[in-house]
Amino acid sequence: CNWNLHSHKHSDSHSSREEGVRVCVVGAGISGLALAVACQQRNIEVDVYERDNSFHERKQGYGMTLRDTNAIKSLHLSEKFRELDVPSKSHYVFDQKGNILGYFGNDFH
């Protein structure tokens, strides 16, 4: 898969386009997409390449622990996060082919 993300003009301090700069991001996971967004915010053209054709092509995933930080409070998201919270009870580790390498948690007795 390949996505070409063209930047949109912003009115912030990064509004001038970086002439001749084009970034290639390999991997459309959290880090790759965060980098692509950061490039867009700086008006840098970015291409994102991902090996998988869809999210369901192989087992994958991640867990996040969100704390009630000042940033979350300033965005007024604390209550929404509490409403949507689903505590994790088990964790799997997969190899690149999707085979389970290990697991742990309360669901495995």
Side-chain angles (χ1 to χ4, degrees), residues 11-12 14 19-20 26 30 43 45 47 56 58 63 71 76 80 87-88 95-97 100 103:
S11 60
D12 63 10
H14 298 287
E19 291 300 321
V26 179
I30 291 176
N43 293 317
E45 191 171 351
D47 293 300
H56 304 288
R58 63 185 166 98
H76 308 287
K80 192 64 170 174
S88 177
D95 67 14
Q96 65 188 37
K97 293 182 180 178
I100 297 174
Y103 51 85

Side-chain angles (χ1 to χ4, degrees), residues 6 9-10 12 16 23 26 28 32 34 38-39 45 58 62 67 71-73 77-78 90 92-93 95 97-98 106 109:
H6 296 281
K9 290 287 182 188
H10 296 283
D12 63 10
S16 64
V23 174
V26 179
C39 288
E45 191 171 351
R58 63 185 166 98
Y62 59 91
R67 297 184 358 208
I72 290 172
K73 289 176 187 174
L77 294 174
S78 299
S90 60
Y92 292 86
V93 178
D95 67 14
K97 293 182 180 178
N106 294 335
H109 294 280

Side-chain angles (χ1 to χ4, degrees), residues 5-101:
L5 305 174
H6 296 281
S7 303
H8 302 285
K9 290 287 182 188
H10 296 283
S11 60
D12 63 10
S13 62
H14 298 287
S15 63
S16 64
R17 182 174 177 90
E18 298 288 336
E19 291 300 321
V21 175
R22 185 172 183 164
V23 174
C24 173
V25 176
V26 179
I30 291 176
S31 299
L33 293 178
L35 176 59
V37 168
C39 288
Q40 283 187 311
Q41 290 174 342
R42 287 160 180 79
N43 293 317
I44 298 171
E45 191 171 351
V46 58
D47 293 300
V48 179
Y49 293 88
E50 171 58 48
R51 165 180 59 186
D52 298 333
N53 289 318
S54 77
F55 180 77
H56 304 288
E57 193 163 306
R58 63 185 166 98
K59 295 176 185 172
Q60 54 190 322
Y62 59 91
M64 286 177 38
T65 300
L66 297 175
R67 297 184 358 208
D68 208 13
T69 64
N70 288 336
I72 290 172
K73 289 176 187 174
S74 71
L75 294 170
H76 308 287
L77 294 174
S78 299
E79 186 61 35
K80 192 64 170 174
F81 283 167
R82 278 192 284 282
E83 290 172 17
L84 299 173
D85 184 31
V86 180
S88 177
K89 296 181 181 177
S90 60
H91 306 273
Y92 292 86
V93 178
F94 301 100
D95 67 14
Q96 65 188 37
K97 293 182 180 178
N99 300 310
I100 297 174
L101 297 175

